[in-house]
Amino acid sequence: MAMIDLAPLSRRTSHLREASILRALTLKVNALDDGINLGQGVCDLEMPRPLRLAAVESLLHDRATYTNFAGVLPLREQIVRRMKERYGLEYDVGEVVVTVGSSMAYTSTLMTLVDPGDEVVLFEPFYPYHHTGARLAGAVVKPVPLTLGDDGIDWLYGGAGDDSLGGGTDNDYLNGGTGNDYLNGGTGTVFVVPAHGFDELLFPSVAP
């Protein structure tokens, strides 16, 4: 049988073919009878019955088709209500977009805001897809390490941006940023961006 020559894969995806540490850990955990996987956010709880029934109803009523690109309106309205009631944050429904998980939200943000060569600041530790997604968008990834505090719980940033960071607010992006608060997904640390923006956060000694 003749071999079929496959088209070469793109260079920009070469890093995606590297072994995934999360998947490697999952295989090791699964090999243990009493292993508990803390490396991936895969929920093993029973799905609530109302969700199962709602999924069945959507199929019976021919709703298994494309929806509005921003998500169905009733869901976005409920998100607006919840954000106001729980967090005191007010949004217009037009400012809310529903995605297929946070990974898709992150990827969509990168593809919308980042051009090849732009600098993306990732606070370490971060999830592997933060790095792979940024590189896929053509970004130059600049890791900035966090330090575990003396209490063994809080992760701290000393504000000592080094010379490898560009320091320009036009092409610096932070992993997990929304509005003026930036949540580091790997640790749960929340940064509040100062009045002068990223430069004051990353370079407090030289910011105006």
Side-chain angles (χ1 to χ4, degrees), residues 3-206:
M3 297 295 293
I4 299 176
D5 292 331
L6 299 178
L9 301 178
S10 65
R11 288 190 297 273
R12 70 172 179 272
T13 63
S14 60
H15 65 286
L16 299 178
R17 295 186 283 279
E18 300 170 0
S20 168
I21 186 172
L22 285 182
R23 300 194 185 281
L25 288 173
T26 296
L27 292 176
K28 289 184 176 295
V29 172
N30 289 344
L32 302 174
D33 293 335
D34 57 351
I36 299 177
N37 187 1
L38 301 179
Q40 290 182 285
V42 179
C43 182
D44 58 359
L45 299 177
E46 182 71 15
M47 181 184 291
R49 182 173 176 78
L51 289 181
R52 294 179 183 271
L53 295 177
V56 172
E57 284 296 315
S58 69
L59 294 174
L60 293 176
H61 291 85
D62 293 327
R63 294 182 59 192
T65 184
Y66 293 113
T67 60
N68 184 285
F69 69 92
V72 295
L73 182 59
L75 176 57
R76 288 186 287 140
E77 290 174 338
Q78 288 298 316
I79 292 174
V80 169
R81 179 188 62 79
R82 182 181 180 86
M83 296 300 290
K84 182 176 181 180
E85 292 179 354
R86 174 166 288 195
Y87 305 109
L89 300 175
E90 294 195 20
Y91 294 98
D92 182 82
V93 70
E95 299 176 292
V96 177
V97 176
V98 179
T99 67
V100 186
S102 59
S103 297
M104 182 57 67
Y106 177 72
T107 301
S108 299
T109 300
L110 287 171
M111 296 303 177
T112 302
L113 299 180
V114 176
D115 286 317
D118 281 352
E119 191 170 286
V120 172
V121 176
L122 296 181
F123 288 110
E124 293 183 300
F126 48 75
Y127 289 117
Y129 78 84
H130 288 164
H131 183 266
T132 56
R135 288 183 59 185
L136 190 62
V140 177
V141 177
K142 297 294 185 178
V144 174
L146 299 177
T147 302
L148 187 61
D150 294 336
D151 59 5
I153 299 176
D154 294 326
W155 290 80
L156 309 175
Y157 171 59
D162 59 42
D163 294 336
S164 66
L165 297 178
T169 55
D170 288 339
N171 64 348
D172 285 341
Y173 300 96
L174 303 174
N175 52 320
T178 56
N180 292 322
D181 296 336
Y182 289 83
L183 171 67
N184 174 253
T187 64
T189 299
V190 176
F191 301 99
V192 178
V193 177
H196 296 291
F198 295 159
D199 283 359
E200 187 174 348
L201 177 66
L202 297 173
F203 307 94
S205 61
V206 298

